[in-house]
């Protein structure tokens, strides 16, 4: 079904909203997202301290590894959530651009782990790479927060009118 120009598809159809609300993965995502942000804040502080003073590199590296592991956890469980709600593990139309950008976030975090394990970069290079990964994470987190806000602003009646049959 084509949409009129200027008319947006609702984020969730009524059936997708029902599946989202019934999925245990919704709660998992709701718990992992703030945990990841807390780990991120601690890690940023450790990374910046190490870059500024040269001290605490081991703690900074450990925090980046922990942040990356939490990222992997939220990405895997987020894919399971997306499958439960939208019927596909990634790139559902409602979250297409967030998923695309998530791939960049994953790539940069994984590049950090690869460089750390292979010794491809020195400490400074590793920490700069981590900060680049963290910048993309912040952008991606913002994308998801905007979607969360949009979902909360959608009235259930508009879901039925705008969302049913839109796929």
């Amino acid at each position: 079904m084509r949409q009129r120009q200027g008319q947006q598809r609702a984020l969730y159809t009524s059936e997708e909203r029902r599946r989202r609300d019934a999925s245990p993965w919704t709660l998992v995502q709701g718990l992992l997202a703030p945990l990841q942000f807390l780990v991120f804040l601690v890690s940023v502080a450790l990374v910046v301290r190490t870059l500024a003073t040269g001290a605490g590199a081991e703690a900074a590296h450990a925090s980046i590894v922990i942040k990356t592991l939490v990222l992997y956890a939220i990405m895997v469980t987020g894919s399971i959530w997306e499958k439960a709600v939208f019927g596909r593990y990634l790139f559902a139309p409602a979250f297409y651009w967030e998923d695309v950008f998530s791939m960049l976030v994953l790539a940069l975090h994984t590049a950090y782990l690869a460089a750390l394990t292979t010794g491809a970069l020195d400490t400074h290079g590793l920490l700069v790479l981590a900060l680049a990964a963290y910048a993309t994470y912040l952008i991606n987190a913002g994308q998801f927060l905007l979607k969360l806000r949009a979902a909360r602003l959608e009235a259930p009646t508009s879901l039925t009118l705008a969302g049913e049959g839109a796929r």
Side-chain angles (χ1 to χ4, degrees), residues 120-166:
L121 295 173
D122 64 5
T123 296
H124 185 267
L126 285 166
L127 297 179
V128 169
L129 177 56
L131 289 178
Y134 286 3
T136 61
Y137 158 73
L138 274 179
I139 293 167
N140 198 224
Q143 288 178 301
F144 282 104
L145 286 173
L146 288 173
K147 281 292 166 94
L148 179 62
R149 183 177 184 275
R152 288 186 176 171
L153 292 175
E154 278 184 353
T157 55
S158 69
L159 287 175
T160 304
L161 297 174
E164 296 297 339

Side-chain angles (χ1 to χ4, degrees), residues 78-141:
S79 293
I80 296 167
W81 175 87
E82 205 164 322
K83 174 70 171 168
V85 174
F86 297 106
R88 56 173 58 173
Y89 286 105
L90 282 170
F91 307 114
F95 286 92
Y96 180 83
W97 290 110
E98 291 78 6
D99 287 349
V100 167
F101 207 80
S102 291
M103 295 303 109
L104 176 59
V105 175
L106 280 171
L108 287 170
H109 281 76
T110 302
Y112 169 86
L113 291 181
L116 179 68
T117 58
T118 63
L121 295 173
D122 64 5
T123 296
H124 185 267
L126 285 166
L127 297 179
V128 169
L129 177 56
L131 289 178
Y134 286 3
T136 61
Y137 158 73
L138 274 179
I139 293 167
N140 198 224

Side-chain angles (χ1 to χ4, degrees), residues 14 46 56 68 98 114 146:
S14 57
L46 293 171
T68 302
E98 291 78 6
L146 288 173

